[in-house]
Amino acid sequence: MNKTPEQIAAELRTLAAQLEETSDGLLKPNENQADRLEQLLNSAKQTINRGLREMVQPILDTYLINYHQNLP
């Protein structure tokens, strides 16, 4: 499922509120939270790439593909 930036941010805030620290002030390991953070990171990457692709693809289609088709 494609998440909006707002959804990703809301889930990151929720996850951040659940993080715990050790007595040393370090982040307490939590495999479930690490997995969830990785999923959110991947969602953010997909959202960014999708936005870039939407902006760049028309340029590539118009100029680059047409240019290469006209080469001998």
Side-chain angles (χ1 to χ4, degrees):
M1 176 182 140
N2 292 327
K3 295 182 181 292
T4 66
E6 293 81 9
Q7 290 170 319
I8 295 168
E11 290 185 40
L12 282 170
R13 283 190 292 274
T14 299
L15 181 60
Q18 297 169 357
L19 297 175
E20 297 178 35
E21 64 180 278
T22 65
S23 59
D24 299 331
L26 302 174
L27 187 60
K28 190 176 188 180
N30 182 312
E31 198 65 35
N32 291 332
Q33 290 173 338
D35 290 344
R36 187 68 194 123
L37 184 57
E38 184 175 355
Q39 292 170 358
L40 290 170
L41 177 60
N42 288 333
S43 289
K45 285 180 183 179
Q46 290 173 359
T47 299
I48 291 168
N49 287 336
R50 187 174 59 249
L52 290 174
R53 190 177 313 110
E54 290 171 0
M55 291 182 344
V56 172
Q57 194 63 50
I59 296 167
L60 295 176
D61 292 344
T62 301
Y63 298 103
L64 188 60
I65 292 173
N66 288 335
Y67 172 77
H68 285 288
Q69 289 174 347
N70 294 324
L71 289 178

